[in-house]
Amino acid sequence: MAPDEGLAEPGGRLLVEEPAPHVARLTISNPGKRGALDHAILDAFSTTLPRLEARCLIVTGEGSTFSAGYDIGHLSSEGRAEDAEKLVAHPFAAALEALDAYPYPTIAALNGHAIGGGLELALACDMRIAASTIALAMPPAKLGLIYSHTGIRKFIETVGAPRTRELFLVGRRIDARVARDWGLVNAVAEPERLAGQTLALAEEIAANAPLAQAGNKR
């Protein structure tokens, strides 16, 4: 099935396609900003996911980039904290809620770096597979931002408090294999095999009983 645009507005796009029966793939497309999550992309998650009926959902990025996080490049240093808080408070939170509410399993295929909000978006998926060449990081401290308590709680639930402190207080990047050891991702694949490996897993998941999958996810 040919890709469709989840939202046709200026800025980034969310491309939607069906690479296999009962499997939907959503691709974050914002190549000029390294997959930054702008309002168009975040709103597309909120409006597109409730319309899908796929039994497994893949979220990935375009080219060699997954997502560099929130699109805050246009914000001034004076208004950055306040405007970023507004971004997180509505469109980003709504996108995460849409992923969390999706009734069937979701997989993040991390084809490129997953930074900040891009990494939290991946954590909203049920499973994550990372290309071996990527880095993952939470840099809010380096940007002068205080992260949301709900976002930090998601990291604590995934990797525990000590690793969460390391991610947020140090702010350095970790590679895919360290992320796997921490439990931040489920598996690591070579870049050329990531798409195929993720699709094979999605097809296996989609072949299971949908009522059981929905019930187990809840």
Side-chain angles (χ1 to χ4, degrees), residues 15-207:
L15 308 179
V16 184
E17 59 184 326
E18 185 181 21
H22 306 298
V23 175
R25 181 162 56 209
L26 277 58
T27 302
I28 299 166
S29 174
N30 197 356
K33 296 186 176 181
R34 298 180 299 154
L37 302 170
D38 60 16
H39 278 258
I41 292 172
L42 294 172
D43 289 344
F45 272 101
S46 302
T47 58
T48 301
L49 265 64
R51 297 189 283 108
L52 297 178
E53 298 180 354
R55 296 178 188 173
C56 188
L57 185 70
I58 298 170
V59 179
T60 192
E62 188 175 56
S64 60
T65 301
F66 181 73
S67 176
Y70 312 138
D71 182 14
I72 61 172
H74 64 287
L75 304 180
S76 66
S77 58
E78 293 79 9
R80 175 172 292 184
E82 181 179 353
D83 289 345
E85 184 177 351
K86 292 177 181 177
L87 175 66
V88 175
H90 177 61
F92 184 69
L96 295 186
E97 288 170 4
L99 271 171
D100 190 57
Y102 194 74
Y104 299 114
T106 56
I107 307 171
L110 305 179
N111 57 305
H113 297 338
I115 309 297
L119 181 53
E120 188 181 348
L121 185 78
L123 255 64
C125 295
D126 298 307
M127 288 177 278
R128 289 158 294 283
I129 302 178
S132 61
T133 52
I134 74 164
L136 306 91
M138 290 304 299
K142 294 183 181 298
L143 299 174
L145 300 174
I146 298 174
Y147 213 72
S148 71
H149 69 280
T150 53
I152 290 176
R153 185 172 67 238
K154 187 182 297 292
F155 280 85
I156 292 174
E157 292 171 352
T158 303
V159 300
R163 295 302 190 192
T164 299
R165 293 188 187 103
E166 194 168 344
L167 279 171
F168 281 84
L169 300 182
V170 179
R172 73 165 64 101
R173 296 186 176 196
I174 62 172
D175 63 34
R177 289 182 172 82
V178 170
R180 180 186 58 195
D181 293 342
W182 287 11
L184 199 55
V185 302
N186 298 82
V188 174
E190 292 307 309
E192 66 274 10
R193 295 184 178 181
L194 177 68
Q197 186 171 324
T198 305
L199 183 56
L201 177 60
E203 289 181 288
E204 182 178 358
I205 290 171

Side-chain angles (χ1 to χ4, degrees), residues 103-104 210-218:
Y104 299 114
L211 288 178
Q213 293 289 63
N216 287 331
K217 177 167 179 174
R218 285 197 305 271

